[in-house]
Structures are given as C-alpha cells and as structure tokens.
Amino acid sequence: MELCIADHEGDQSALAQWLANKTVENVHAWIESADQKVLVAERAGEILGVGSASAKGEILLNYVSPDARFQGVSLELMQYLEVYVGAQGNKKSFLSSTQTAHRFYLAHGYEDSGDPELWAGMSAQPMVKWLK
C-alpha cells in the first residue's frame, strides 16, 4: 500500500481488489501448496519481505516492507525464487510487474513480454527472464 502509490494512486477500490486474495486462509493454502514456494525474509523476528513462485515458473509475490526498501531484500527473495523455479524444470521465470517495481525487474534481467494488462484496476506489465 505504501510503496506502490504510483500504481494505485490511493484508490481504495483498486487496493481492495489487489489485496482481496491476501487472506489468512489463502496465505495458509499458499504455504501448504506442493505447487508453490513461499519465502519470508526476516531479521530479529521482524518480517522484511515475502516472496512466492509457482512450480510453473510464475513469480506470484515479491513484497518488501517500506522499512526494508533498497536493502537487497527483494533481490534476495527473487534469487531464491528463481532457483526454485529452475529446479522445477522451467527455462524461464515470468511475472506481472507494477509500475513501481518495473525498473527493479529490468535491472535484474527481466524483459517486457507484452503490452501492459489491467489487473485490480492497475497496470500490470508482463515480464520474462530466461534462467541460466
């Protein structure tokens, strides 16, 4: 909510759509899923970030706490998620980026892979990275 203001522009309807699937029940299901990896970055018991990827190669989540921004948390989560995606036999990783995160993904090897799509009332840029 705090870091992606350029995306949702404070629109409560867009935020509600974006966050609608982030329920306790869904997060438990994601953690327990055999077809998905969920990672939590923490320091001294404080959650700094959360990342998730599907066994099919999609990066589903890459969220960082505003207090941990620009400290390498997102990059470290992505590196672990890409290892997981590759270990599942995928040759590429793909995701839908917010406007806020777009430069981050470009800087770390992702390329735009189509026109932006509308998701939860916001623009989502499809991106892909070929894994080594």
Side-chain angles (χ1 to χ4, degrees):
M1 292 184 347
E2 295 176 41
L3 299 181
C4 291
I5 293 171
D7 296 281
H8 58 70
E9 298 177 340
D11 181 334
Q12 293 303 308
S13 173
L15 278 170
Q17 290 178 62
W18 189 4
L19 301 174
N21 68 340
K22 305 332 183 265
T23 65
V24 171
E25 295 81 14
N26 282 347
V27 172
H28 280 283
W30 298 339
I31 291 169
E32 295 172 0
S33 174
D35 297 324
Q36 187 169 329
K37 175 69 86 178
V38 176
L39 303 173
V40 176
E42 63 91 18
R43 179 174 45 225
E46 177 185 1
I47 295 176
L48 303 178
V50 177
S52 179
S54 75
K56 294 180 180 179
E58 183 175 9
I59 303 298
L60 302 165
L61 301 173
N62 186 12
Y63 294 154
V64 65
S65 166
D67 298 332
R69 192 171 189 200
F70 301 121
Q71 296 178 23
V73 174
S74 288
L75 179 57
E76 192 165 352
L77 287 170
M78 287 300 296
Q79 289 170 337
Y80 278 102
L81 293 172
E82 289 170 0
V83 167
Y84 166 75
V85 165
Q88 305 311 301
N90 296 290
K91 303 284 186 221
K92 65 181 178 179
S93 173
F94 61 98
L95 55 87
S96 293
S97 177
T98 61
Q99 292 175 46
T100 302
H102 189 244
R103 284 185 302 168
F104 168 81
Y105 292 121
L106 287 172
H108 297 293
Y110 283 81
E111 302 172 349
D112 293 345
S113 63
D115 293 329
E117 301 166 349
L118 190 62
W119 185 84
M122 298 177 286
S123 178
Q125 176 62 57
M127 301 185 82
V128 65
K129 178 179 181 178
W130 295 94
L131 304 174
K132 297 177 182 177

